[in-house]
Each structure stands twice: as structure tokens, then as C-alpha cells.
Amino acid sequence: MSSTHQTAALSSLEARLGARFASALTARSQSLPHDITERLRFAREKSLSVARESRAQASRAQASSGASVVGVSANGSAILGGFLPWWQRAASVLPLLVLVAGLVMVDNWAAREQVLAAAEIDAQLLSDDLPPAAYSDPGFGEYLRNPPPP
């Protein structure tokens, strides 16, 4: 059974039930005293005004929010979109900005560590007493890459 068919059947059932209640209440209201009828009339008018006011407030609240991202139209199709304030758009971009900033910081840190490691090797080479011919020896490069354990 489709959703629209169920909704129509439910509306029809509610309408019939409401009509039965209304006819039963009308038939019995003829035998009530005048003061009770007036109190019932006043209560009914008050409840109707409260219901109207609550509907009006709900429609004003919905109209003022303006940021309904997903809705359903009268024919059942989805409504996507709506206006988003600038701060919500900025908040949706914020995680991307934090990610990019973190990647830049990691890259800078790795480059700095490489420079510091090269500077340490250079400092050790320059502070050591070696003849200039030792620097051109192919085994010396291997020695620098794998220094002996202390």
C-alpha cells in the first residue's frame, strides 16, 4: 500500500470519526443547561484561538529560520537547498583549512629535521682532524652513512 493511499485512507477515517463525534455532541448538547453550554462555547473559542496562535507561531518560526536544508513538498518530492549564513559556510570549510595547515607544518618540520641532520654531519666533519685526501675516499662516504657504534 503506497504512502499517499495510506494518508488518504487515514484522513477519510478521521473525517468520518470527527463527523460522528460532532453529531453525537450536537444531539446531547440540546439537553444541557444554559450555563454549561456557555462555558463549553467559551472553552471551544479559547481552544480554537490557542490553536490558531500556535499554528501562526510555528509558521513564523519556520519562515524565520530560512535554513531548511531538506524538506518535503506537497506532492512528496524532496526540496534541497536553502540559504546558509556565512558562518555556517565558514564552519564547513574550517576542517579543510586545519588539515592543510597541519600538512604544511609537518612538511616544514621534516625539512627542518633534514637541515639539522646535514648540519650535524657537517659540524662533525669540520671538527675532525682528517687529511683532505680522506674526503675523496669512497669508503669515507660509507663511513659517514653508517658510523661505528660508540
Side-chain angles (χ1 to χ4, degrees):
M1 190 184 264
S2 70
S3 175
T4 55
H5 190 266
Q6 286 178 342
T7 306
L10 187 61
S11 297
S12 172
L13 180 65
E14 287 176 353
R16 285 187 304 202
L17 185 63
R20 280 189 180 173
F21 279 141
S23 66
L25 288 173
T26 303
R28 300 205 192 240
S29 69
Q30 304 301 328
S31 62
L32 291 175
H34 179 66
D35 62 331
I36 293 177
T37 339
E38 285 301 309
R39 285 191 293 174
L40 288 173
R41 184 187 59 77
F42 178 74
R44 189 186 82 183
E45 289 174 0
K46 185 175 180 180
S47 67
L48 287 174
S49 68
V50 168
R52 280 188 212 113
E53 182 63 31
S54 68
R55 283 189 200 125
Q57 285 178 352
S59 67
R60 281 193 300 262
Q62 185 179 14
S64 68
S65 70
S68 66
V69 176
V70 176
V72 178
S73 68
N75 63 359
S77 62
I79 300 171
L80 302 175
F83 176 74
L84 290 176
W86 68 269
W87 58 270
Q88 282 184 336
R89 283 189 234 144
S92 65
V93 175
L94 187 64
L96 179 64
L97 293 176
V98 169
L99 177 68
V100 169
L103 290 174
V104 168
M105 288 173 53
V106 166
D107 183 52
N108 286 341
W109 175 77
R112 186 174 190 275
E113 289 296 317
Q114 286 178 345
V115 167
L116 288 176
E120 185 180 338
I121 290 173
D122 288 346
Q124 286 178 356
L125 287 175
L126 293 174
S127 66
D128 213 2
D129 292 332
L130 288 176
Y135 292 110
S136 63
D137 185 18
F140 183 68
E142 185 64 32
Y143 172 75
L144 288 178
R145 280 191 283 273
N146 299 319

